[in-house]
């Protein structure tokens, strides 16, 4: 299926270009409130819509400000993509916050906590009790 290969290639190009825009070109101060990285781009089969998933590291307030800044910059991002990527029609751009990394970090911390609790319990079981 050559169309799926093309869709994935276009998604990869969009991810690279938007990452560069977020780092260097979007001048909205709200976007710099949290560390932003583009984690995934989902392009529709007809190349008309692009969902851009971004991971934001920071406080909840910084996340909200960053998402507001990104949503206000969608026109600029779409226009810049149209100039950089040669397509008949530039896809509509939608920014979506990706919390997958945050959830993964929470799961790792929970697993580490369980591991520590088991080790401490095993150590307590190994210590012989003093006789009276």
């Amino acid at each position: 299926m050559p169309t799926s290969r093309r869709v994935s290639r276009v998604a990869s190009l969009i991810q690279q270009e938007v990452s560069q825009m977020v780092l260097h070109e979007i001048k909205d101060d709200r976007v710099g409130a949290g560390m932003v990285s583009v984690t995934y781009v989902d392009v529709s089969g007809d190349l008309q819509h692009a969902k851009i998933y971004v991971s934001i590291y920071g406080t909840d307030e910084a996340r909200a400000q960053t998402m507001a800044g990104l949503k206000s910059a969608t026109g600029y991002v779409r226009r810049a993509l149209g100039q950089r990527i040669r397509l008949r029609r530039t896809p509509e751009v939608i920014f979506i916050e990706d919390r997958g990394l945050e959830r993964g970090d929470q799961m790792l911390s929970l697993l580490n906590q369980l591991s520590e609790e088991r080790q401490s319990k095993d150590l307590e079981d190994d210590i012989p009790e003093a006789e009276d």
Side-chain angles (χ1 to χ4, degrees):
M1 289 182 32
T3 57
S4 65
R5 190 177 328 151
R6 179 166 187 216
V7 168
S8 65
R9 231 176 40 219
V10 168
S12 175
L13 280 171
I14 290 174
Q15 183 174 0
Q16 290 173 357
E17 294 298 332
V18 172
S19 294
Q20 289 300 315
M21 284 184 230
V22 167
L23 286 175
H24 302 292
E25 298 170 25
I26 296 177
K27 293 180 175 63
D28 194 342
D29 291 336
R30 296 177 291 179
V31 175
M35 260 181 31
V36 181
S37 64
V38 178
T39 56
Y40 181 70
V41 175
D42 183 26
V43 179
S44 65
D46 60 356
L47 303 177
Q48 294 297 310
H49 303 282
K51 294 179 185 175
I52 301 172
Y53 294 89
V54 292
S55 177
I56 304 167
Y57 183 75
T59 63
D60 289 334
E61 181 181 328
R63 282 190 196 121
Q65 287 180 357
T66 303
M67 283 306 294
L70 287 172
K71 287 184 183 187
S72 70
T74 55
Y76 169 77
V77 170
R78 184 173 185 213
R79 194 168 39 257
L81 282 175
Q83 294 170 353
R84 296 177 186 189
I85 299 175
R86 306 289 293 171
L87 295 171
R88 277 193 192 135
R89 289 189 176 169
T90 306
E92 296 278 334
V93 174
I94 300 169
F95 285 101
I96 299 172
E97 186 176 358
D98 183 11
R99 295 217 171 186
L101 295 175
E102 178 183 331
R103 280 181 274 162
D105 189 38
Q106 287 176 347
M107 290 300 291
L108 283 175
S109 66
L110 285 173
L111 288 172
N112 288 338
Q113 181 182 358
L114 283 173
S115 176
E116 289 173 3
E117 287 176 4
R118 284 185 178 165
Q119 286 178 354
S120 66
K121 184 179 179 194
D122 288 344
L123 287 177
E124 288 175 3
D125 291 343
D126 290 344
I127 298 174
E129 292 184 20
E131 293 181 18
D132 288 329

